[in-house]
Amino acid sequence: MKKFLIKIVSIALPFLAIALIMEVLLRAIPNDYVLKKEFLNKGSNNIETLILGSSHSYYGLNPTFFSSNTFNAGYISQTLDYDYEILKKYQSKFKKLKTIILPISYFSFYEKLEATEEFWRIKNYIIYFDMDTAKSFINHTEILSLPVKTNLKRLIDYYILDKPSITSTKLGWGSNFTSENAKDLIKSGEPRARVNTYINKPNYKLVFNANTITINEIVAWCNNRNIRLLLLTTPAFETYCQNLDKEQLNVTIKKAETLDLKNKNCNYLNLLKDDRFDAKDFYDADHLSDIGAEKLSKLINEKVNNWQ
């Protein structure tokens, strides 16, 4: 029995060593989460306008075009609960914060990160943002959160092919959705709408109720600190809008409008079908390109500046 155990250990050790080396190398790759955490660690006390939310704000709102000190803390698939975690984590450092911009997208009240195809991103908030948001050991590691093939590609891309691993600007805006690389707006409309439709999926009501609690907590957090909260539905191309479930969309808009009506510090702006945005402004059917982001950012900056 002793010889058998020694043999098992001798076989397992090389694999464990390889796994440990991979974990260390993966964590050493620069990433957008570290960039955002480091900025917030050092610069939270100077932020006047904070952008939160998912890819709609990450790609759609560029702090460069804001006249106040602005930072984009949004990211791909970032759900309301993680927006709130960011607020709580840095609440003692937001000395000059006056306005928070929070996107209310078609899916905002129906989506939880752990229940999406992007669930693997949870490990990024734990490892790189120092958030204790999951108990599973898997979520605390790089190598177990993604398939081996994916992690090998990441290592090759960074260490061998020297491909950039950062897509954020220094102020947190997602800079890689350029108009030159825009997707087919006709073909991307239906698939983008389908992946964001949750109302007929199991347990959607539980998620909706949980997100309702979270948005109310965010509103209260802002109320208690006399911080203005701008809820924003970003523009989308017509092929996306045409394929949205009417019930899910109407409930979302109604909820945002109700928050606006019931809270003096809260304002809702629905630009989903705004005719000031045309094809050249979009990267795909529900995300703005760099051109569209400049247009939206200037528009929202004016809104923030004129908010009485």
Side-chain angles (χ1 to χ4, degrees), residues 42-49 69-70 93 95-97:
K42 297 176 182 178
S44 294
N45 57 333
N46 290 317
I47 294 175
E48 296 172 312
T49 301
N69 288 331
T70 303
K93 297 184 177 182
K95 304 297 184 182
K96 297 181 180 180
L97 186 59

Side-chain angles (χ1 to χ4, degrees), residues 156-178:
I156 292 170
D157 284 347
Y158 181 72
Y159 289 104
I160 297 177
L161 301 180
D162 199 28
K163 290 184 178 181
S165 57
I166 299 287
T167 62
S168 299
T169 63
K170 292 180 179 180
L171 293 177
W173 172 63
S175 61
N176 59 321
F177 273 18
T178 61

Side-chain angles (χ1 to χ4, degrees), residues 118-253:
E118 302 280 303
F119 67 91
W120 55 268
R121 292 185 184 277
I122 292 172
K123 53 93 176 175
N124 293 322
Y125 293 95
I126 295 171
I127 297 173
Y128 304 112
F129 245 118
D130 301 326
M131 293 181 180
D132 187 18
T133 56
K135 295 181 180 179
S136 173
F137 175 73
I138 292 174
N139 297 132
H140 290 75
T141 68
E142 282 278 9
I143 58 168
L144 296 180
S145 294
L146 286 166
V148 174
K149 184 178 180 180
T150 301
N151 281 329
L152 285 174
K153 184 179 185 302
R154 292 171 62 200
L155 292 170
I156 292 170
D157 284 347
Y158 181 72
Y159 289 104
I160 297 177
L161 301 180
D162 199 28
K163 290 184 178 181
S165 57
I166 299 287
T167 62
S168 299
T169 63
K170 292 180 179 180
L171 293 177
W173 172 63
S175 61
N176 59 321
F177 273 18
T178 61
S179 56
E180 292 84 357
N181 299 318
K183 306 293 184 181
D184 188 315
L185 298 181
I186 305 300
K187 292 182 178 179
S188 64
E190 190 277 331
R192 292 297 308 156
R194 179 168 20 92
V195 77
N196 289 330
T197 298
Y198 290 89
I199 200 162
N200 294 319
K201 295 181 180 180
N203 299 321
Y204 84 89
K205 288 186 178 180
L206 292 176
V207 175
F208 180 87
N209 291 337
N211 281 326
T212 295
I213 292 172
T214 301
I215 192 68
N216 288 336
E217 289 175 332
I218 291 174
V219 171
W221 189 95
C222 292
N223 273 330
N224 293 336
R225 293 162 178 80
N226 197 29
I227 292 171
R228 301 176 302 185
L229 177 63
L230 177 59
L231 304 176
L232 171 66
T233 300
T234 57
F237 194 64
E238 57 186 11
T239 55
Y240 179 76
C241 297
Q242 291 165 356
N243 286 284
L244 300 180
D245 180 271
K246 290 183 180 179
E247 182 181 353
Q248 180 174 320
L249 179 61
N250 290 338
V251 169
T252 298
I253 293 173

Side-chain angles (χ1 to χ4, degrees), residues 59-62 65 173-182 280-283 287-297:
Y59 292 112
L61 292 169
N62 186 346
F65 299 106
W173 172 63
S175 61
N176 59 321
F177 273 18
T178 61
S179 56
E180 292 84 357
N181 299 318
K280 71 176 183 300
D281 296 315
F282 293 95
Y283 171 79
H287 291 96
L288 295 171
S289 66
D290 52 337
I291 296 174
E294 179 177 348
K295 182 184 291 188
L296 179 63
S297 300

Side-chain angles (χ1 to χ4, degrees), residues 1 4 16 28 77 83 86 99 101 115 138 146 157 179-180 191 250-251 264 278 304 307:
M1 185 66 175
F4 175 74
L16 291 173
S77 296
D83 290 324
I86 291 173
T99 306
I101 302 171
I138 292 174
L146 286 166
D157 284 347
S179 56
E180 292 84 357
N250 290 338
V251 169
K264 291 183 179 180
D278 51 36
V304 170
W307 192 349

